Amino acid sequence: MTEENIIELREVSKTFGSYLAVDNLSLNVRRGEIVVLLGQTGAGKSTVLNLIMGTTCPNKGQIRVAGFDPYASFKALKGRLSVSFQTDRLLPWRTALENVELGLLILGRPKNEARRSAREWLGRVRLDGADNKYVHELSGGMRQRVSLARALAIDPEIIFLDESFSQLDHVTSKTLRGDFLQIAREFRKTCLLITHRIDDALEMADRALVLSPPARVALEVRIDDQARSSSRAMADLHAQIASAMGAERSTDH
Amino acid sequence: MSISAAAGQSRIQSGDAAKIAKPLAGFAGAWPNAESRRDIVATVVVVVLLLAAMEVTSRFVPDYIMPSPVAVWNAARELFFTDPYHVAVTLVRLAISVTIAMTVGVLIGLAMGMFTHLRAYLKAVVVIDTGIPALSWMLIAVFWFKNPEARIFFILLVILLPFYALNVYEGVRALPKELVDMIESFRPSRWQVLRYLILPHIVAYVFLTTKSVIGYAIRMVIFAELVASAIGIGARMNLAQSTFRIDQVLAWTFFLVILNVALQAFVNGLEKLFLKWRAEATVR
């Protein structure tokens, strides 16, 4: 494992019974990089995320995350990773502020410090004034913002976003992606995004990896500012990714 | 300067008022809505009809079969001055027994939910307990314990405990997997999972169980006092029965019905206070 690779998978395979979910997958993510894993449903994206998170162990191969085996050294990565899920997964008995401070309290931060930090993060995701609102009093977009703030508040080295924007309407999703990108760049976070939406990848990623079942890298593309400034280059990338995903047309709306 | 100072003071006062008002909001929410008012009116109508039936029946049968409502009212007034100590004893026994049964039941339910290797054994103990009749426990308690208080607490504990244990176990099983995965992503200790996820989640189940068992608990404590104690409402009802004071038996009965309603309302108020985060769903 090289120093600059914060996530590294080498020839990793995972089976569930006789079903091969991940087949000899190798990939790496550099510190501060934003990488998107793209793929249709069943391509093995979530299994790859679970392997990297250490919630499941591979049958073959080696995984290193921040220098640790994430499954064998599960607790060693406490506070170094966080996840924003497809649904907000907020605790309904806690207010927005209390939800954001949850990770900080689990890390053992003093209550006052956790509260102050949580309030700052709510402000960063543009939810000033929503501190004391319960989950049922928040809109879907606001809940997802709280969820993002919760993931960011513990100041992790790596953030995983598992289809975090896919259940939101187009406008809210775009705004939230923009806000997240700004924060991720400002704080130089390493991000691994899982999505089936090509537009999300083109907008956010430094690099996109297209997975085809059973979780093989079918295509790897780099997306830099030069490509983003050219609509033709973006259209070409879109077509390449869509082709690799095996889609006749984009699933984006 | 003085204006801003006054404004500042006003803000502080309104903030304080909000702080004071917040804990009371749960009880304020317990104020009856239109449907509850209909229930209250229906209850009053039924009570009036029952009293009328008592009055009519009392004119055709001897007093020791059915006294008039006025006689029962007089007996109740008499008991109010002579027996408050017995009421207090019963209420304290009820409160302590329910609290102990709740605590032990919740601990057993949590252990059933969290420790897979213990689950089958604890479940077997609880299921066997639910199959033992209350009367058997009362007789066993008389054999096992000399102290009447120990008898009553033991009886209430073994009878109420399975309700709490099984419901809390169901609560732990009903934890949404999504929330478990979310909290696990922070790599918490077992204690932190319990504190931040499981305990707040089971509060609703504990309230549900308490509301379900409160009437049963009142009946059981009275029965236990009748069998195993010389003081308390059950013991006084036993005395009233042996001295042919059916007016007192009925007075105690009415009191127990009112006590049940009052305790249900109290638990409902506490539930609204503790579960204020829950959105009220209405099905049309």
Side-chain angles (χ1 to χ4, degrees):
Chain A
M1 178 165 173
T2 60
E3 188 64 27
E4 63 173 6
N5 286 339
I6 194 164
I7 300 172
E8 194 165 321
L9 278 73
R10 276 194 201 154
E11 297 171 353
V12 171
S13 295
K14 175 70 187 174
T15 55
F16 296 102
S18 59
Y19 177 70
L20 180 63
V22 178
D23 183 21
N24 223 25
L25 177 70
S26 295
L27 65 85
N28 59 65
V29 178
R30 285 190 295 280
R31 203 173 284 277
E33 195 178 22
I34 299 178
V35 172
V36 173
L37 285 185
L38 275 154
Q40 299 282 34
T41 305
K45 306 184 294 288
S46 295
T47 307
V48 172
L49 178 64
N50 288 335
L51 287 165
I52 297 172
M53 286 285 298
T55 52
T56 186
C57 70
N59 298 104
K60 185 172 106 38
Q62 192 188 26
I63 304 174
R64 305 295 284 178
V65 176
F68 295 97
D69 177 330
Y71 186 79
S73 309
F74 189 79
K75 293 281 182 185
L77 289 166
K78 186 171 183 171
R80 303 178 76 167
L81 321 174
S82 70
V83 194
S84 173
F85 297 92
Q86 184 171 17
T87 51
D88 56 73
R89 304 194 185 191
L90 300 179
L91 299 178
W93 50 84
R94 296 178 81 89
T95 62
L97 186 70
E98 289 166 346
N99 266 289
V100 176
E101 71 184 15
L102 177 71
L104 294 161
L105 295 175
I106 288 174
L107 290 183
R109 302 281 161 77
K111 180 84 182 164
N112 287 346
E113 188 191 318
R115 183 136 292 200
R116 186 169 36 79
S117 180
R119 196 165 277 127
E120 280 172 21
W121 277 104
L122 271 182
R124 286 195 186 111
V125 297
R126 295 198 262 167
L127 280 177
D128 301 285
D131 298 16
N132 296 318
K133 287 194 187 301
Y134 283 105
V135 176
H136 74 270
E137 298 171 308
L138 302 169
S139 69
M142 290 165 91
R143 290 181 195 187
Q144 203 59 22
R145 282 176 188 279
V146 175
S147 172
L148 273 177
R150 179 180 62 193
L152 289 159
I154 64 167
D155 193 22
E157 289 173 58
I158 309 166
I159 301 172
F160 300 104
L161 285 93
D162 186 6
E163 304 268 14
S164 297
F165 311 107
S166 63
Q167 289 210 335
L168 301 171
D169 65 81
H170 184 68
V171 176
T172 310
S173 167
K174 193 166 175 56
T175 315
L176 206 48
R177 289 198 311 257
D179 288 349
F180 174 78
L181 253 184
Q182 195 184 345
I183 292 168
R185 300 271 187 223
E186 183 186 342
F187 290 92
R188 296 187 49 77
K189 298 294 179 196
T190 305
C191 304
L192 184 66
L193 284 73
I194 307 283
T195 184
H196 64 278
R197 288 166 43 155
I198 300 172
D199 282 353
D200 288 6
L202 292 177
E203 183 182 336
M204 301 178 78
D206 297 322
R207 195 153 53 96
L209 302 171
V210 180
L211 297 185
S212 63
R216 291 193 192 96
V217 178
L219 176 72
E220 179 174 349
V221 290
R222 290 193 176 280
I223 307 159
D224 53 21
D225 289 341
Q226 198 179 347
R228 283 200 181 88
S229 63
S230 158
S231 53
R232 188 189 172 94
M234 291 302 272
D236 285 347
L237 283 173
H238 197 290
Q240 276 184 54
I241 292 171
S243 167
M245 284 172 72
E248 290 181 356
R249 60 189 180 84
S250 166
T251 53
D252 296 326
H253 306 292
Chain B
M1 187 68 158
S2 61
I3 292 170
S4 63
Q9 194 178 18
S10 157
R11 275 200 300 276
I12 291 163
Q13 282 169 347
S14 65
D16 286 351
K19 275 180 200 163
I20 294 162
K22 206 174 175 186
L24 299 174
F27 281 107
W31 192 253
N33 56 23
E35 196 180 332
S36 301
R37 281 200 298 272
R38 272 199 300 277
D39 290 347
I40 292 168
V41 170
T43 307
V44 170
V45 168
V46 169
V47 169
V48 169
L49 287 174
L50 278 174
L51 291 175
M54 269 180 77
E55 178 61 36
V56 172
T57 312
S58 69
R59 290 170 191 241
F60 297 98
V61 296
D63 275 356
Y64 63 86
I65 300 289
M66 178 60 75
S68 70
V70 174
V72 174
W73 172 249
N74 288 336
R77 280 176 53 197
E78 185 189 331
L79 294 173
F80 181 78
F81 291 108
T82 58
D83 287 12
Y85 171 70
H86 294 277
V87 173
V89 166
T90 299
L91 286 177
V92 169
R93 282 171 176 164
L94 187 68
I96 294 175
S97 306
V98 171
T99 307
I100 294 173
M102 184 191 294
T103 309
V104 179
V106 166
L107 289 175
I108 292 176
L110 286 173
M112 282 163 72
M114 293 177 73
F115 303 107
T116 44
H117 54 287
L118 282 178
R119 181 175 304 153
Y121 298 98
L122 289 172
K123 219 167 151 182
V125 170
V126 171
V127 169
I128 289 168
D129 186 9
T130 56
I132 299 173
L135 184 63
S136 299
W137 282 124
M138 287 180 191
L139 297 176
I140 291 167
V142 171
F143 282 110
W144 284 1
F145 301 101
K146 263 188 176 174
N147 185 320
E149 299 307 319
R151 286 175 184 170
I152 292 168
F153 291 137
F154 172 76
I155 291 165
L156 268 283
L157 177 68
V158 290
I159 289 172
L160 299 182
L161 184 147
F163 292 100
Y164 282 103
L166 289 174
N167 279 347
V168 167
Y169 170 55
E170 281 305 316
V172 177
R173 281 180 45 166
L175 263 172
K177 189 180 178 305
E178 287 195 335
L179 295 185
V180 177
D181 288 347
M182 180 280 294
I183 204 158
E184 289 287 347
S185 74
F186 289 110
R187 289 158 160 78
S189 64
R190 209 176 179 111
W191 161 243
Q192 288 174 324
V193 175
L194 184 69
R195 180 180 171 190
Y196 295 120
L197 182 65
I198 298 176
L199 288 179
H201 175 74
I202 63 163
V203 169
Y205 290 84
V206 173
F207 272 109
L208 178 71
T209 311
T210 305
K211 287 198 290 184
S212 308
V213 303
I214 199 84
Y216 187 54
I218 293 172
R219 288 197 292 276
M220 285 302 111
V221 80
I222 299 302
F223 201 9
E225 285 175 343
L226 193 136
V227 174
S229 176
I231 51 171
I233 295 174
R236 299 303 285 173
M237 288 180 84
N238 194 20
L239 179 69
Q241 183 267 332
S242 60
T243 53
F244 298 99
R245 292 294 303 272
I246 194 168
D247 55 340
Q248 287 191 355
V249 171
L250 287 175
W252 280 122
T253 305
F254 286 130
F255 172 76
L256 291 172
V257 170
I258 292 165
L259 178 67
N260 183 29
V261 172
L263 287 178
Q264 290 280 0
F266 176 69
V267 176
N268 272 329
L270 282 181
E271 186 187 34
K272 279 187 187 289
L273 193 64
F274 278 90
L275 303 181
K276 62 185 176 188
W277 52 267
R278 212 163 51 170
E280 292 289 334
T282 315
V283 180
R284 280 184 292 174

